[in-house]
Amino acid sequence: MNVVGIIAEYNPFHSGHAYQIRRAKEMAEADYVVVILSGDFVQRGEPAIFDKYSRTQDALEGGADLVFELPIRYSLSSAGDFAYGGIKALTELGFVTHVCFGSEQGNIDHFLKVAETLDREDKSRTEFQALLEERLHEGCSYPDARAQALINVIGEADIDEPFFSMPNNILGIEYCLALLKIGSPLKPLTLLREGQDYRDATNPSLKRYPSSTAIRAGIMQSNTPHLTLNDFSDLISYSLRDLIRKEGGLKNHHQVIDAAKDLSSDIFGRIVGELDSFTCATDLIDRIKTKAFTESRLRRCLLQCCLHLEKTDTSLPYLHLLGLNSKAGHLLREIRGAGIDEPGIYSDDSKLQIVTRLAADLPRLSENARKLYEEDLFAADIYRNVFQRKYRVTIPNEYQQAPVVVDRDNSALF
């Protein structure tokens, strides 16, 4: 039995994602598709435009069979951490055989060459970091500096510089690097990205496979309920000022480097310098951004401060099941050490535990797993509360939610 995994945000889910699911199954000759999905906050440093349960429903109806939530400490993080968390989750499930990602290049051999070079020797990573810092000091933007540093380290004549600056290619390199770091048996596959360029925000109805950027732009101009970064401005402003207070005032801002995963003393210094002019989150980002600090990183920093996401360990003792195709429910019984029918407390963090019903499963997790899961709970509560205040509605909390279940015959998709 082959099972192919996809690491995704589906922000929101669209026809291009359904195409990827269909092609991934064909490429892997897979019976099932497992998705590791970002929860209510995504890697580019924004709240998901729709909540995770709505996006899970769309993914299941679009061909996915199991959907698990990528913990917030991975989903709202750098490309490297995001990829590592997703690959680790698919690997720990135990029954996934392949991982498929979209790319602008479409040749898996190039990704493997780059990843193997970076992983082979610590020297390569050290050289890469030194070249990256040198290019940034020269005034290059972060994406350009990263591309130039990588191509200098790799030295492959058949891989040109644009390969290293395309966003899906960058993630693809990190996926393959994570496979090597973990020693994962997953076989990587890459699918050439088709359709509208990810940066193209023009009318998505004119494109066969529209971009998420274009679809989000249309949603934000409509009356469809959704959330944006600026909806969190008050919470971000408070969290930044509280952070300054806790660290002993403005003069000691160099001490906050560990206060958020992607925060540096330089970034926080720029934030402090503009905080009195704060009107909204996006305005603050416009004031503090530089070529060296991408907008995505700055957005992540603000939300990481808001959600109290500090640098933490890389263990993955649990996964939260967001939804499933009822025809694939038997896969859950194959998870190593899932202990679905076992009473008592899961004390062994080396075995992956599956959270399906929070009220029943959370008390049974180990102390470390519960502590990590509380980060996800806090993020979900913040997202829900902001949505409720914006639209004057009440929606179920995490304890009241159950996995989304669809009853779908896979053969109907082909």
Side-chain angles (χ1 to χ4, degrees), residues 6-42:
I6 295 174
I7 303 162
E9 294 183 334
Y10 295 156
N11 189 34
F13 189 87
H14 56 69
S15 60
H17 296 134
Y19 169 77
Q20 184 195 14
I21 290 174
R22 183 172 69 252
R23 287 288 291 120
K25 289 189 73 172
E26 292 172 355
M27 294 167 69
E29 299 181 345
D31 303 284
Y32 300 99
V33 177
V34 174
V35 173
I36 305 299
L37 183 70
S38 293
D40 291 322
F41 296 88
V42 298

Side-chain angles (χ1 to χ4, degrees), residues 265-303:
S265 57
D266 289 342
I267 291 176
F268 196 70
R270 294 185 65 82
I271 290 173
V272 168
E274 297 291 344
L275 198 53
D276 281 343
S277 302
F278 189 106
T279 58
C280 65
T282 54
D283 176 66
L284 178 61
I285 289 168
D286 285 340
R287 290 171 179 271
I288 64 177
K289 66 183 179 183
T290 67
K291 287 184 177 181
F293 302 136
T294 63
E295 290 188 32
S296 292
R297 180 177 178 182
L298 296 176
R299 289 193 297 263
R300 287 197 301 270
C301 286
L302 296 187
L303 284 174

